[in-house]
Amino acid sequence: QQQVRQSPQSLTVWEGETAILNCSYENSAFDYFPWYQQFPGEGPALLISILSVSNKKEDGRFTIFFNKREKKLSLHIADSQPGDSATYFCAASADNNRIFFGDGTQLVVKP
Amino acid sequence: GPKVLQIPSHQIIDMGQMVTLNCDPVSNHLYFYWYKQILGQQMEFLVNFYNGKVMEKSKLFKDQFSVERPDGSYFTLKIQPTALEDSAVYFCASSLRLGAAETLYFGSGTRLTVL
């Protein structure tokens, strides 16, 4: 059973638009949700994260919106840049370090 | 930022052979992990390791897999013997502490191709 699901599988936006990446999860015990950014040929790197006690986390152009009741969250990338083109993984964990990853959303930002 | 180094970046071997993947974690980190990624898709947890011992492993961590970090050197993943389905990118990660909100730092991966 997949613990973390992401949609869409791929997303294309124009430079300057807001990209919205969606994520949902199954396990109510999850309380920490990191988003990882992965460029081709590289390992995932932590981009931004949120704890379940919050419903919003902002870091520059990146914002996480979190809905605990619906077990959903989303990553909004404002003013998207071509350099943001990458695969974004939503992840979740409980009280240990075992992180469950979603399948990823491949984002392409066209200039 | 902190770097995790993985050597080699790509390895090709024949089915049935043994392979060892090497990871040089962040210097002061204490917890180490291996993840498996197939075709650029979902990262799947294999194992975590602390103080010389496996703490937790998933169903993907078959009997043919083993991990160790002898004398604080490389953290290694050994597969013996290898099978075709072991072809994937293997990512090593490390963290300073154990905890849900602790940041994992990943290496750039070793692409393993089993022929």
Side-chain angles (χ1 to χ4, degrees):
Chain A
Q1 181 188 9
Q2 190 155 351
Q3 299 270 7
V4 179
R5 298 180 189 275
Q6 290 186 247
S7 64
Q9 188 174 2
S10 62
L11 176 65
T12 300
V13 299
W14 293 102
E15 183 175 357
E17 292 184 331
T18 296
I20 300 176
L21 290 66
N22 300 303
C23 180
S24 63
Y25 61 96
E26 297 292 326
N27 189 345
S28 300
F30 288 149
D31 56 6
Y32 173 64
F33 303 88
W35 284 84
Y36 281 83
Q37 180 187 54
Q38 185 179 27
F39 295 106
E42 297 183 12
L46 180 65
L47 180 66
I48 186 173
S49 63
I50 192 168
L51 292 169
S52 61
V53 294
S54 302
N55 55 24
K56 182 180 177 182
K57 176 78 173 288
E58 207 166 344
D59 184 358
R61 296 186 293 108
F62 301 92
T63 303
I64 299 174
F65 293 93
F66 180 70
N67 185 323
K68 189 171 184 176
R69 183 178 60 83
E70 295 187 6
K71 298 184 193 173
K72 291 181 179 178
L73 60 158
S74 60
L75 174 66
H76 291 223
I77 305 175
D79 188 24
S80 296
Q81 302 297 309
D84 296 331
S85 297
T87 299
Y88 292 81
F89 290 97
C90 173
S93 69
D95 58 0
N96 57 33
N97 253 22
R98 182 168 177 174
I99 294 181
F100 293 87
F101 286 82
D103 284 341
T105 292
Q106 193 168 2
L107 175 67
V108 174
V109 181
K110 290 188 173 181
Chain B
K3 294 286 187 185
V4 174
L5 301 177
Q6 289 189 242
I7 302 166
S9 59
H10 195 175
Q11 188 142 1
I12 302 173
I13 59 170
D14 291 322
M15 183 177 63
Q17 284 189 317
M18 180 194 75
V19 68
T20 301
L21 309 183
N22 297 302
C23 172
D24 188 10
V26 179
S27 60
N28 61 336
H29 283 187
L30 301 175
Y31 296 87
F32 313 110
Y33 315 80
W34 284 102
Y35 279 79
K36 180 180 180 180
Q37 186 180 45
I38 297 177
L39 296 176
Q41 295 185 356
Q42 188 178 25
M43 300 270 295
E44 300 205 69
F45 171 83
L46 286 176
V47 65
N48 56 14
F49 187 87
Y50 168 73
N51 198 26
K53 297 176 185 175
V54 170
M55 294 194 302
E56 187 180 3
K57 57 185 179 181
S58 73
K59 293 177 183 177
L60 294 178
F61 194 78
K62 304 180 296 184
D63 291 342
Q64 297 89 332
F65 288 26
S66 62
V67 291
E68 63 176 357
R69 194 188 186 208
D71 300 324
S73 60
Y74 285 147
F75 175 51
T76 63
L77 173 65
K78 184 185 292 185
I79 309 174
Q80 181 179 26
T82 50
L84 294 176
E85 60 265 27
D86 296 330
S87 294
V89 180
Y90 291 83
F91 289 97
C92 172
S94 68
S95 66
L96 180 59
R97 288 174 288 269
L98 186 69
E102 191 67 21
T103 298
L104 264 61
Y105 293 88
F106 285 85
S108 56
T110 293
R111 180 177 297 277
L112 176 65
T113 302
V114 181
L115 302 176

